[in-house]
Amino acid sequence: MTEALPGERIEEKSLGELVALASSNVSNLVRAEMDLAKMELKGDAKKAALGSVMFAIAGLCGGMIVILLSIALAYGLVALGIWHWAAFLIVAAVYAVLAAVLIGIGYLRMKKIDGAKRTRRTLKDDLTMLRKRGDDRELGQKGAETPALTD
């Protein structure tokens, strides 16, 4: 039996039973921590979903505001004496220039992305170390000494 019953003394258990009891307790602890993390993440996911819906609605409202202000700007240009087609063309050209500038800034930002260089390097180093460790073990079976892993 690998459980500690309420009236039972731990000192009476064998080493194997104590190890089994400890591993069972660790397993239960890990399982409980995972359940707690799942519950917390569910709550966070609900909050994130609600927040993203609010951002989407705000984005839609912002888009409508931009459209209405663009029309107002075009009619303001018409009031200054510019033809209707020219006023709306000017507003469209302003948006085209703004889009080109934003695309340029976005392109420059994308060029600066590293692609997790440090993570790739450390993973590569870890795999290399594991491969070398496996090779050393094979050599160790043939008579060579196996070096100890150090930090």
Side-chain angles (χ1 to χ4, degrees):
M1 178 178 270
T2 59
E3 292 183 20
L5 300 175
E8 189 176 8
R9 294 179 47 139
I10 296 285
E11 292 87 11
E12 297 172 358
K13 293 194 172 283
S14 69
L15 181 61
E17 290 174 331
L18 290 175
V19 169
L21 179 63
S23 78
S24 172
N25 287 341
V26 169
S27 175
N28 289 337
L29 179 63
V30 169
R31 197 174 301 115
E33 289 291 335
M34 289 178 66
D35 289 342
L36 177 63
K38 285 179 188 177
M39 287 186 341
E40 288 178 336
L41 289 175
K42 280 183 185 178
D44 289 347
K46 287 179 184 177
K47 290 175 187 174
L50 182 60
S52 64
V53 167
M54 296 299 161
F55 280 126
I57 292 171
L60 179 65
C61 291
M64 291 171 38
I65 289 170
V66 167
I67 291 170
L68 292 173
L69 289 175
S70 300
I71 293 170
L73 176 61
Y75 278 118
L77 292 174
V78 168
L80 292 175
I82 299 177
W83 296 308
H84 281 81
W85 64 269
F88 282 92
L89 187 62
I90 290 170
V91 171
V94 167
Y95 281 118
V97 169
L98 178 64
V101 168
L102 292 175
I103 286 172
I105 292 171
Y107 177 75
L108 292 175
R109 293 277 183 168
M110 295 295 278
K111 283 180 64 174
K112 291 181 181 179
I113 293 176
D114 292 346
K117 285 182 183 178
R118 286 188 347 193
T119 302
R120 280 188 281 145
R121 187 183 68 238
T122 57
L123 284 174
K124 185 178 177 182
D125 292 345
D126 291 346
L127 289 173
T128 302
M129 186 218 25
L130 288 173
R131 284 187 190 127
K132 286 183 181 178
R133 180 69 178 161
D135 292 343
D136 291 344
R137 284 192 180 152
E138 289 173 9
L139 291 174
Q141 292 172 356
K142 296 177 183 175
E145 286 189 31
T146 304
L149 291 178
T150 59
D151 287 338

